[in-house]
Amino acid sequence: MGIAERKEREKRRRRARIMNAAKKVFTDKGFGGATMEEIALEAELSPATLYLYFKNKNDLYASLNLKMLEFLVWRLEELRDQEGLDAEGRVRGLADALYDVYQNDPLILFNVFHLQSTHVLTELPPETLDEINGLSARALRIMAGIFQQGIDEGVFADRAAIALADTVWAVFTGLVLWEESKRLFDSGKDFLKPTLDLAIETIVQGIKKG
Amino acid sequence: MGIAERKEREKRRRRARIMNAAKKVFTDKGFGGATMEEIALEAELSPATLYLYFKNKNDLYASLNLKMLEFLVWRLEELRDQEGLDAEGRVRGLADALYDVYQNDPLILFNVFHLQSTHVLTELPPETLDEINGLSARALRIMAGIFQQGIDEGVFADRAAIALADTVWAVFTGLVLWEESKRLFDSGKDFLKPTLDLAIETIVQGIKKG
Amino acid sequence: MGIAERKEREKRRRRARIMNAAKKVFTDKGFGGATMEEIALEAELSPATLYLYFKNKNDLYASLNLKMLEFLVWRLEELRDQEGLDAEGRVRGLADALYDVYQNDPLILFNVFHLQSTHVLTELPPETLDEINGLSARALRIMAGIFQQGIDEGVFADRAAIALADTVWAVFTGLVLWEESKRLFDSGKDFLKPTLDLAIETIVQGIKKG
Amino acid sequence: MGIAERKEREKRRRRARIMNAAKKVFTDKGFGGATMEEIALEAELSPATLYLYFKNKNDLYASLNLKMLEFLVWRLEELRDQEGLDAEGRVRGLADALYDVYQNDPLILFNVFHLQSTHVLTELPPETLDEINGLSARALRIMAGIFQQGIDEGVFADRAAIALADTVWAVFTGLVLWEESKRLFDSGKDFLKPTLDLAIETIVQGIKKG
DNA sequence: GATGAATGAGTTTTCATTCAT
DNA sequence: TATGAATGAAAACTCATTCAT
């Protein structure tokens, strides 16, 4: 391994360390409440160092979300490409896939939304923005594809596949937010998975032909 | 009308004026981005005056959310008490009711979530907190009641009514968030209503008995 | 009694009411911590009304102190003019006189000092200032007179009477401050009177001839 | 000298610089009148920097007082441990010791009292409070010890040593306050030392046996 | 490359004071 | 005369960000 390569790797490691710290602090305090100093503290680095790896607070936040979206897309692609599944099974698989995403990183939607709600977006460089929007669209398209498959195969009623994907996504987003906000008060209820399962099952029943 | 009464009304009017200004600014800038000065400007008052009507920024924000939740509960009660509707029709009515809430105040969920996600809650006086939680619970209970009615009448499959209410709420929440975030970029798409209709319809189909 | 007279009396009553409220609030919160609104509340008047009776916060504060100083001077004059007392007895009487002042109004020195320490003085109208300084000087002169009497009568050693008065005043001031500050923490110790008695007695012994 | 050591020293130097600026401004304007901005200006730093070294205005003020109390205790201990002094001489030495404290830092009592009178105390972290109370108590105990020595040796009448210490402290406190307040008006009278000397001398005479 | 130190630019919040009624 | 209502002016404090070392 060349020196340059090793350095590159070292750099990525540091980036990851910062992102982990940021994830933690953002979760605890929200975007507005988190301070760069606290993130630095968590990462055992100085605040100034953060700026060597991320242009600014927004950039750090966006990177976090990007990483999460990437996992989402990857997981959905895995579901799409899984063999031996009919459309119905694949839709049911959505519940697991989405829950995986949540498990892997409970923050993902919480933060994705937060990102969008705090107008942080508007201050992001256009490339980053495009990347985020691109990944979101891709995820949705995959979900829509799954529904479309069922429609094409004649097992689902002829609904707008994209709207169904929107619905799934909306349910998921809403449930995550809710779960998280409950966590603040109730002692960590875990109603997400059962409710998500029920929702998906209801949708499957609702669109199944005959 | 007595003098005291007139004064009281005047006072409420002014409170309302501030809340309207706040609603606007919070929508545009988010909680963190909004400044008391900007809200005051919008209300054509001085920042100091705001503090005569609201203890602080958090309090103002919470009041906003309270008002919204009150409308939500009121609208759901209206639906519940509407005569000449069978269970299925009432569930379909949920789409309209929720959309009304959104129309009346697009901020409602956007803000409700925000409120819960930004740890603003933790700094709220307990009474306010109780009020918020109480109203939320009440709204959910009404929705669950509608589903339960259908189950009792034998037209819906025997699912957990509360989980169905959760699902509806989650879809709604998720869609609102999404709609709002889209509004930031795309030129004001209005996909909320059709998607919500579809979701509810799908749910109805999904739980209808044979 | 004429109408004008009655009005005048009414006015004085109101002034007194405000001053009492102010005394209470200043004691509880200190000059900086007290707000005009709180004083108004205590006086069951509106803040604006206070300004009909006192030019501003400083003026109100100064008036309070003036009233206290007047009592001090009056009480010292009483002591000075009391018949059948020799110099030694009169000096001993100082302890009682000063303690009376404190009893009558525990704030007096606390406030007098405060007045002086917070640079409120510098913003006072010169007349008020002159009045305050005049009364202070008069009080000191009376005390010095008492010592001087003893020196003239040959029962006290030939010390500077004015310096002895200063000492008495200083002891008193210091003890009051201390007592008050203790009151903040310890549960209301009352060590003022015994210590004051001891101090005066020690002074008497210290200057007695032979 | 190691790097860490040098840095530590550098830090302390900066703290001291801020404290000196604060001392000056507090003296000129009083606690309420002083602003962080003015202190920063005096220290040739930005206001924000002050907050790197002191948690808030109260903390800065308390630190100032702590430093002063430390000097007081140190000076009294020096007096107590000085060899070749009998009790009477040691009591007389109190005048010098206390005056040294005043000279070294005219603010000490002015501030100590102020600190206690303005409810600044109530907002102080308990540790700081304990430290302040501890040092005060220690100073008093040393003074009482000096009187007790004289009583034990039979040269002083059998008075309560602690009350005598209280008296000395009260005289001192009162005189400082007075001196300072005079300074605001009269052109810098220096009556403190002679009056203090007289007071102590009077006390000595007052408690000497035979 | 890493960081200790510093700060500019805000923001919330407080209050003495005014004034139309 | 009394006051409800409003506010100007200020002050404490915060934090993302920079820069000399």
Side-chain angles (χ1 to χ4, degrees):
Chain A
M1 201 194 322
I3 286 186
E5 207 177 332
R6 193 174 309 159
K7 275 199 175 169
E8 189 52 39
R9 189 209 281 220
E10 182 56 33
K11 196 159 185 174
R12 245 174 307 149
R13 212 193 299 266
R14 254 290 206 253
R15 254 185 87 93
R17 184 212 204 98
I18 294 173
M19 284 174 77
N20 274 326
K23 190 162 71 183
K24 189 164 177 185
V25 178
F26 281 135
T27 312
D28 282 5
K29 309 288 176 76
F31 180 78
T35 71
M36 291 301 265
E37 189 173 346
E38 205 170 349
I39 295 171
L41 207 75
E42 180 72 31
E44 293 177 276
L45 288 168
S46 99
T49 306
L50 268 50
Y51 287 85
L52 296 178
Y53 293 87
F54 299 91
K55 219 173 52 141
N56 54 34
K57 197 184 175 187
N58 281 350
D59 184 33
L60 171 53
Y61 198 70
S63 301
L64 221 47
N65 283 278
L66 232 30
K67 198 182 126 213
M68 296 163 181
L69 280 173
E70 274 159 9
F71 182 81
L72 168 68
V73 166
W74 173 83
R75 188 58 185 76
L76 286 175
E77 282 173 344
E78 194 190 55
L79 173 66
R80 180 197 57 194
D81 301 337
Q82 201 175 329
E83 306 206 349
L85 269 185
D86 60 0
E88 199 178 321
R90 229 180 281 280
V91 171
R92 287 210 175 84
L94 275 178
D96 297 325
L98 293 175
Y99 192 63
D100 271 7
V101 171
Y102 175 72
Q103 289 277 53
N104 173 271
D105 212 324
L107 289 180
I108 179 161
L109 296 156
F110 196 70
N111 277 330
V112 163
F113 163 60
H114 220 153
L115 177 70
Q116 292 166 346
S117 76
T118 47
H119 296 244
V120 172
L121 281 178
T122 56
E123 296 169 33
L124 246 36
E127 314 87 75
T128 314
L129 219 55
D130 285 349
E131 237 179 318
I132 288 178
N133 283 332
L135 283 170
S136 293
R138 213 161 125 201
L140 264 189
R141 238 178 297 126
I142 297 173
M143 288 195 282
I146 289 173
F147 283 108
Q148 193 58 51
Q149 184 197 354
I151 295 170
D152 291 346
E153 291 175 357
V155 296
F156 290 161
D158 192 11
R159 298 270 176 80
I162 188 72
L164 289 168
D166 283 342
T167 301
V168 168
W169 181 249
V171 171
F172 182 41
T173 311
L175 286 177
V176 169
L177 300 178
W178 203 1
E179 174 90 5
E180 290 295 331
S181 79
K182 277 192 174 180
R183 203 177 296 277
L184 273 180
F185 297 97
D186 309 2
S187 49
K189 286 203 162 194
D190 186 21
F191 88 128
L192 177 63
K193 189 54 168 52
T195 314
L196 184 58
D197 280 340
L198 173 70
I200 297 285
E201 187 55 34
T202 304
I203 288 173
V204 170
Q205 295 304 331
I207 62 178
K208 234 183 355 191
K209 253 186 178 161
Chain B
M1 198 191 333
I3 285 186
E5 209 176 331
R6 191 174 310 161
K7 282 204 172 159
E8 190 51 40
R9 189 206 281 223
E10 185 57 32
K11 198 159 188 171
R12 246 176 305 151
R13 210 193 299 270
R14 232 169 313 236
R15 249 184 92 93
R17 183 215 203 96
I18 294 173
M19 283 173 79
N20 275 328
K23 191 160 69 181
K24 189 163 176 186
V25 178
F26 279 135
T27 312
D28 282 5
K29 307 288 175 77
F31 179 78
T35 72
M36 290 303 264
E37 188 173 348
E38 203 171 348
I39 294 171
L41 206 74
E42 179 72 32
E44 292 176 281
L45 289 169
S46 95
T49 306
L50 268 52
Y51 287 86
L52 294 180
Y53 294 88
F54 299 92
K55 225 179 60 201
N56 53 35
K57 196 182 173 188
N58 279 352
D59 184 33
L60 173 53
Y61 199 69
S63 301
L64 225 46
N65 283 276
L66 229 33
K67 200 182 123 214
M68 296 163 182
L69 280 174
E70 273 158 10
F71 182 80
L72 168 67
V73 167
W74 172 82
R75 188 60 184 73
L76 286 175
E77 281 173 345
E78 194 189 55
L79 172 65
R80 180 196 59 193
D81 300 337
Q82 199 175 329
E83 306 206 349
L85 269 185
D86 59 0
E88 197 178 323
R90 231 180 281 280
V91 171
R92 286 211 176 85
L94 276 177
D96 296 327
L98 293 175
Y99 191 64
D100 271 6
V101 172
Y102 174 73
Q103 288 278 53
N104 175 270
D105 214 324
L107 286 179
I108 180 161
L109 297 156
F110 196 70
N111 277 330
V112 164
F113 164 60
H114 214 157
L115 178 69
Q116 290 167 346
S117 76
T118 46
H119 295 244
V120 171
L121 278 179
T122 55
E123 296 169 33
L124 244 37
E127 312 89 71
T128 313
L129 218 56
D130 286 350
E131 238 178 318
I132 287 177
N133 284 330
L135 283 170
S136 293
R138 211 161 125 201
L140 263 189
R141 239 178 296 125
I142 297 173
M143 289 196 282
I146 289 173
F147 284 108
Q148 192 60 50
Q149 184 198 352
I151 294 169
D152 291 345
E153 292 174 357
V155 297
F156 291 162
D158 193 11
R159 298 270 175 81
I162 187 74
L164 289 168
D166 283 341
T167 301
V168 169
W169 181 251
V171 171
F172 181 42
T173 314
L175 285 177
V176 169
L177 300 178
W178 204 2
E179 173 89 5
E180 290 294 332
S181 77
K182 278 194 172 176
R183 201 177 297 277
L184 276 180
F185 299 97
D186 309 2
S187 49
K189 285 200 162 197
D190 186 19
F191 88 126
L192 177 63
K193 190 54 168 56
T195 315
L196 184 57
D197 280 340
L198 173 69
I200 297 285
E201 187 54 34
T202 303
I203 289 172
V204 170
Q205 295 305 330
I207 62 178
K208 239 195 333 206
K209 255 186 176 161
Chain C
M1 196 193 329
I3 285 188
E5 208 176 332
R6 193 173 310 159
K7 275 199 174 170
E8 189 52 41
R9 189 209 279 220
E10 183 57 32
K11 195 160 185 173
R12 246 175 305 149
R13 211 193 296 267
R14 246 318 187 244
R15 253 185 88 94
R17 183 211 204 100
I18 295 173
M19 284 173 78
N20 274 328
K23 189 161 72 183
K24 189 163 176 188
V25 178
F26 280 135
T27 314
D28 282 5
K29 307 287 175 77
F31 179 78
T35 70
M36 291 301 266
E37 188 174 345
E38 205 170 349
I39 294 170
L41 207 75
E42 180 72 32
E44 291 177 279
L45 289 168
S46 98
T49 307
L50 268 52
Y51 287 86
L52 296 178
Y53 294 87
F54 298 92
K55 220 175 50 153
N56 53 34
K57 196 182 176 187
N58 281 350
D59 184 34
L60 171 54
Y61 198 68
S63 301
L64 221 49
N65 282 278
L66 231 32
K67 197 182 126 212
M68 296 163 181
L69 281 173
E70 273 159 11
F71 182 82
L72 169 67
V73 166
W74 173 82
R75 187 60 184 74
L76 286 174
E77 282 174 345
E78 191 189 56
L79 173 65
R80 179 197 60 194
D81 299 337
Q82 199 175 331
E83 306 209 347
L85 269 185
D86 60 359
E88 198 177 322
R90 230 180 280 280
V91 171
R92 287 211 176 83
L94 275 178
D96 296 327
L98 292 175
Y99 191 62
D100 272 5
V101 171
Y102 174 73
Q103 289 276 56
N104 173 271
D105 212 324
L107 289 181
I108 180 160
L109 297 156
F110 197 70
N111 277 330
V112 164
F113 163 60
H114 220 153
L115 178 70
Q116 291 165 346
S117 76
T118 45
H119 296 243
V120 172
L121 280 178
T122 56
E123 297 169 32
L124 247 35
E127 314 88 72
T128 314
L129 218 56
D130 285 351
E131 237 179 317
I132 288 178
N133 283 332
L135 283 169
S136 293
R138 210 158 127 205
L140 264 188
R141 238 179 296 123
I142 297 173
M143 289 196 281
I146 290 173
F147 283 109
Q148 193 58 50
Q149 183 197 355
I151 295 169
D152 291 347
E153 289 174 359
V155 296
F156 290 162
D158 193 10
R159 299 272 175 81
I162 188 70
L164 289 168
D166 282 341
T167 301
V168 169
W169 181 248
V171 171
F172 182 42
T173 311
L175 285 177
V176 168
L177 299 180
W178 204 0
E179 174 88 4
E180 290 295 333
S181 79
K182 277 193 174 179
R183 202 177 296 277
L184 273 181
F185 298 97
D186 309 2
S187 49
K189 289 202 160 194
D190 186 21
F191 88 127
L192 176 62
K193 189 53 167 60
T195 315
L196 184 58
D197 281 340
L198 174 71
I200 297 287
E201 187 55 33
T202 304
I203 288 172
V204 170
Q205 296 303 331
I207 61 178
K208 239 191 339 200
K209 254 190 178 155
Chain D
M1 196 193 329
I3 284 186
E5 210 176 330
R6 191 173 311 159
K7 283 205 171 156
E8 190 51 41
R9 189 206 280 225
E10 185 56 33
K11 196 158 188 173
R12 245 175 307 152
R13 208 193 300 270
R14 231 167 316 231
R15 250 185 90 92
R17 184 215 202 96
I18 295 173
M19 283 173 78
N20 275 329
K23 191 159 71 182
K24 190 164 176 185
V25 178
F26 280 135
T27 313
D28 282 4
K29 308 288 176 78
F31 179 77
T35 72
M36 291 302 264
E37 188 173 348
E38 203 171 350
I39 294 172
L41 207 75
E42 180 73 33
E44 291 176 284
L45 288 169
S46 95
T49 306
L50 267 52
Y51 288 87
L52 294 180
Y53 293 88
F54 299 92
K55 222 176 60 190
N56 52 36
K57 197 182 174 188
N58 280 353
D59 184 33
L60 171 53
Y61 199 68
S63 301
L64 224 47
N65 282 277
L66 229 32
K67 202 183 121 212
M68 297 163 181
L69 280 174
E70 273 158 12
F71 182 80
L72 167 68
V73 166
W74 172 83
R75 187 60 184 74
L76 286 175
E77 282 174 343
E78 192 189 58
L79 172 66
R80 178 196 60 193
D81 300 335
Q82 199 176 330
E83 306 208 350
L85 268 184
D86 59 1
E88 198 178 321
R90 229 180 282 279
V91 171
R92 286 211 175 82
L94 275 177
D96 297 327
L98 292 175
Y99 192 64
D100 271 5
V101 172
Y102 174 74
Q103 289 276 54
N104 173 272
D105 214 323
L107 288 180
I108 180 157
L109 297 157
F110 195 70
N111 277 330
V112 163
F113 163 60
H114 216 158
L115 178 69
Q116 290 167 346
S117 76
T118 46
H119 296 242
V120 171
L121 278 180
T122 55
E123 296 169 31
L124 245 37
E127 312 89 72
T128 313
L129 218 57
D130 286 350
E131 239 178 316
I132 289 178
N133 284 332
L135 283 170
S136 293
R138 211 160 127 202
L140 264 189
R141 238 178 297 125
I142 297 173
M143 290 196 283
I146 290 173
F147 283 109
Q148 192 59 50
Q149 184 197 354
I151 295 169
D152 291 346
E153 290 174 359
V155 297
F156 290 162
D158 192 10
R159 299 271 176 81
I162 188 70
L164 289 168
D166 283 341
T167 302
V168 168
W169 181 250
V171 171
F172 181 42
T173 312
L175 285 177
V176 169
L177 298 180
W178 204 1
E179 173 89 6
E180 290 295 332
S181 76
K182 278 194 173 176
R183 200 178 297 277
L184 275 181
F185 298 97
D186 310 2
S187 49
K189 288 204 159 192
D190 186 20
F191 89 127
L192 176 64
K193 191 52 167 59
T195 315
L196 184 59
D197 280 340
L198 173 70
I200 297 285
E201 187 54 34
T202 304
I203 289 171
V204 170
Q205 295 304 330
I207 63 178
K208 238 192 338 199
K209 256 188 177 156

